[in-house]
Amino acid sequence: MTADTERRSFLKYLGAGFAGIVAPSAGPLGPIVEARGAMPFAGEQSTTGARSFLSFAPIAPTDRDDLMLPQGFRYETVLAYGDRFTNSSERFGFNADFTAFIPRNAAGTEGLLWVNHEYVGSPTDAYGQAFAAVVGGVPNVQDMKFDVGGSVVDLYLSSGGNWYVKPNSALNRRITADSLVIADGPALQGVSNVGGTLGNCSGCHTPWDTVLTCEENYQDYVPENLVTDGQGTVGGVFNKNGTHFGWVVEVDPHDPNSIPVKHTALGRFRHENVSIRSAANAPVIAYMGDDRTNGHVYKFVSAAPYVPGSGANKQLLASGRLFSARFNADGTGQWIELATGTTLNPYPGSQMPTIPSGATTLGAVYGGSQGNIVIDAYRASNLVGATPTGRPEDVEVHPVDNSVYIAFTASATAQNSLFNNIFGELVRIVEGSSDGAGAAFTWQRWRAGGPNDPAQAGHVFAAPDNLSFDKAANMWVVSDISSANLNGGNANYTAFKNNGMFFIPTSGPQAGSAFQFASGPCECELTGPSWTPDETTLFLAIQHPGEVSGRRGPGVVSPRGSNWPYRDHGVPLPAVVQVRRF
Ligand code: FEO
Ligand code: CA
Ligand code: CA
Ligand code: CA
């Protein structure tokens, strides 16, 4: 379908009654234009005038090999894979994911951007192509270890309103799968260096101004080590101890000499993310998802209270209680503590360790050790009757009412599953206690993914992944339909075209309605949306363009493969971009 026919069909849908512009303050329906955002900002622009993202004309889904934005918006690359940006000429890592903008001054002209680098591929795929193009040669294991982890990028705002990397800043930093990283909490005690971080998917910016980065698909690099005795083995592509990965890691981006800390009290699993709820002088609550088929949703409640301004806040995640969610069909739910005294109540048919004869508690399965329980949190959750779910991705706390939104990206396969929508869904949890620390909650399916309906193009999504709330409590959702399923790879997903970003109000007459804001290049997902405090710049990572088909050259037919961001049949590169009005 050409862009023109896309536009016509979308306008036809608009004509069927859709209001068109998503903010009440907006003017009458404007033309729907697939603004090509490819060009860098045309020189320095004035910062005066409306910069808000809260009024835009939604775009239609598209399979164009570009970051497509509504009329009036432009993007510019901040850093792409391989860019040398630290004082020792270290390169920006591969497959950027979560980003967090961390202000450094009140004027809003300086800030740090934390960026996760989730995963690498092989020498023969898009990763190998990118490595050959920007580094040279064939990547070896040391190269792969360097290309995951995270980056701290020191940015400044130009007079024209663009963010640029500050050259020669001592704050520019790479953290890799070989960096010195330590651990606290009940597991890995006595390990002086856990050996770097990897699989860094999503995360959060804490109220105490550090960053949490989450280790997701560690099993691709090290042994999964689902064990009851806490004893890991060394192996995998990265030849490291498997129990040292699958954790939440805290980084102080302001101190280039700070040592990242893995907080084992928050459990070991395929950590998509963590989101923090905090109030002065109350325990902090961390919500997390285990992104595996039949994975669980978790809550951590700190032992110590959050005290604004206190240096002790960096120890808040070292000690507390870990819970796993049970979702009941009637909309009620319970947080079940993963603790030695918790009674066994196995979820039928789920993956569990052997239960010793006569054992009735988690402690009896795990040698009485909380450290052993948190290392095997996925199976421990099944042992106590937590609910296997449809791959929980991001979990975010609503900034106004503290309700908790979860992006389930796919269906589950568990017996009697409550999560059967192949397009995924957004679920909302309301805690039963006002401080959020209690065991009871209620839940509802807030917004379902799908259907695969071209007539609703621009208003349906599939495979929701990262969530981000703006200050007005609107939700921004990015989608992660697998590259194999996109654009006819699987007929269930044709209407969605490339992965995109959607705006969903959480209150008002349009609450729960989705409006497409962006569409990514081919075979990519958009990840890690974050905002400057004034919400005039959106940072977004373009992850794995051309993931399956690599560089689109002779023999590769669009929309397979990608040449983003440099085109001219170039090798696709993951990158972080800034998006703003022009
Ligand atoms: Fe790395 Fe679950 O997305
Ligand atoms: Ca993700
Ligand atoms: Ca992904
Ligand atoms: Ca995903």
Side-chain angles (χ1 to χ4, degrees):
M1 182 184 280
T2 67
D4 279 348
T5 54
E6 280 171 5
R7 200 171 303 140
R8 273 198 298 277
S9 62
F10 189 57
L11 284 167
K12 188 174 160 194
Y13 174 66
L14 293 178
F18 165 55
I21 303 279
V22 297
S25 58
L29 179 62
I32 303 299
V33 177
E34 285 190 321
R36 190 175 172 84
M39 298 78 75
F41 300 133
E44 299 291 283
Q45 305 283 329
S46 165
T47 55
T48 59
R51 293 285 175 207
S52 174
F53 280 60
L54 298 186
S55 170
F56 65 88
I59 67 169
T62 171
D63 58 13
R64 286 222 204 149
D65 189 25
D66 202 352
L67 177 60
M68 307 301 295
L69 300 165
Q71 187 175 33
F73 290 84
R74 286 287 183 268
Y75 76 87
E76 182 173 4
T77 299
V78 178
L79 280 173
Y81 169 61
D83 287 346
R84 309 281 169 168
F85 75 104
T86 71
N87 283 349
S88 51
S89 280
E90 293 162 302
R91 64 179 180 267
F92 195 58
F94 201 65
N95 273 344
D97 200 300
F98 170 70
T99 76
F101 182 84
I102 301 150
R104 292 193 64 224
N105 65 359
T109 57
E110 296 185 354
L112 302 174
L113 194 70
W114 169 267
V115 182
N116 277 357
H117 300 293
E118 187 183 3
Y119 69 97
V120 292
S122 76
T124 58
D125 63 13
Y127 170 62
Q129 291 181 348
F131 185 91
V134 304
V135 181
V138 178
N140 60 30
V141 171
Q142 283 306 116
D143 297 318
M144 294 178 182
K145 288 179 182 173
F146 194 84
D147 283 335
V148 296
S151 291
V152 179
V153 185
D154 193 3
L155 297 179
Y156 71 95
L157 184 65
S158 73
S159 58
N162 296 332
W163 291 94
Y164 294 110
V165 181
K166 203 181 287 183
N168 309 123
S169 167
L171 295 175
N172 289 325
R173 182 182 183 187
R174 279 302 324 277
I175 295 170
T176 75
D178 274 331
S179 297
L180 169 61
V181 177
I182 59 176
D184 64 19
L188 306 185
Q189 292 181 358
V191 179
S192 59
N193 178 7
V194 299
T197 183
L198 53 77
N200 307 75
C201 193
S202 192
C204 77
H205 179 200
T206 67
W208 50 97
D209 212 22
T210 62
V211 164
L212 301 177
T213 174
C214 297
E215 298 180 327
E216 191 188 26
N217 288 305
Y218 63 91
Q219 76 284 354
D220 291 342
Y221 307 96
V222 297
E224 186 166 31
N225 286 153
L226 298 178
V227 292
T228 56
D229 62 0
Q231 297 302 305
T233 56
V234 174
V237 179
F238 283 6
N239 196 36
K240 288 173 176 285
N241 187 313
T243 59
H244 292 189
F245 301 91
W247 303 104
V248 173
V249 190
E250 184 163 9
V251 180
D252 180 355
H254 299 282
D255 177 1
N257 299 311
S258 61
I259 300 171
V261 182
K262 298 196 180 187
H263 294 303
T264 68
L266 278 64
R268 173 177 172 265
F269 45 88
R270 297 178 192 175
H271 271 283
E272 168 72 21
N273 87 307
V274 59
S275 180
I276 299 280
R277 171 180 172 179
S278 70
N281 306 311
V284 297
I285 300 173
Y287 294 97
M288 303 169 282
D290 179 1
D291 182 4
R292 64 187 295 157
T293 301
N294 303 323
H296 305 91
V297 177
Y298 294 82
K299 173 168 92 170
F300 169 84
V301 180
S302 70
Y306 167 61
V307 179
S310 168
N313 290 329
K314 285 185 191 172
Q315 278 78 55
L316 279 172
L317 304 182
S319 179
R321 301 163 74 194
L322 183 64
F323 303 82
S324 194
R326 173 204 279 277
F327 296 87
N328 301 316
D330 64 0
T332 63
Q334 291 87 36
W335 294 107
I336 306 167
E337 187 169 4
L338 298 183
T340 53
T342 302
T343 301
L344 299 180
N345 178 26
Y347 190 95
S350 64
Q351 187 177 359
M352 285 175 286
T354 302
I355 300 173
S357 176
T360 59
T361 64
L362 273 186
V365 178
Y366 289 96
S369 163
Q370 182 68 15
N372 293 355
I373 290 174
V374 295
I375 281 177
D376 200 30
Y378 167 60
R379 297 193 306 170
S381 296
N382 287 328
L383 280 170
V384 296
T387 302
T389 71
R391 288 187 51 203
E393 298 259 22
D394 221 340
V395 186
E396 290 291 332
V397 180
H398 190 281
V400 173
D401 66 13
N402 284 321
S403 61
V404 179
Y405 289 75
I406 308 165
F408 292 104
T409 203
S411 54
T413 58
Q415 288 183 23
N416 303 316
S417 175
L418 296 171
F419 297 87
N420 298 313
N421 185 350
I422 64 166
F423 300 118
E425 58 196 4
L426 300 170
V427 159
R428 179 172 182 253
I429 281 180
V430 176
E431 292 280 14
S433 61
S434 58
D435 65 359
F441 65 85
T442 58
W443 66 285
Q444 64 175 127
R445 297 180 202 281
W446 184 68
R447 175 69 161 85
N452 180 26
D453 180 358
Q456 297 185 48
H459 301 276
V460 289
F461 58 84
D465 194 317
N466 297 147
L467 310 176
S468 177
F469 286 107
D470 61 33
K471 286 179 176 169
N474 300 296
M475 181 188 285
W476 298 79
V477 184
V478 291
S479 66
D480 181 17
I481 303 167
S482 76
S483 298
N485 285 343
L486 284 169
N487 292 310
N490 179 327
N492 287 322
Y493 297 89
T494 51
F496 308 101
K497 299 201 173 178
N498 289 0
N499 278 310
M501 179 173 179
F502 295 81
F503 168 87
I504 309 182
T506 64
S507 62
Q510 293 169 320
S513 298
F515 304 90
Q516 187 161 0
F517 176 79
S519 173
C522 295
E523 296 181 9
C524 91
E525 64 173 295
L526 303 178
T527 57
S530 69
W531 307 85
T532 51
D534 63 3
E535 296 185 336
T536 62
T537 298
L538 164 70
F539 293 98
L540 197 58
I542 314 299
Q543 190 186 87
H544 62 70
E547 181 184 38
V548 170
S549 311
R551 180 178 76 93
R552 183 184 302 117
V556 182
V557 178
S558 178
R560 302 293 167 211
S562 175
N563 304 117
W564 191 89
Y566 299 128
R567 294 181 194 78
D568 298 328
H569 304 294
V571 166
L573 299 176
V576 171
V577 302
Q578 56 185 308
V579 176
R580 67 186 187 97
R581 283 191 176 275
F582 66 92

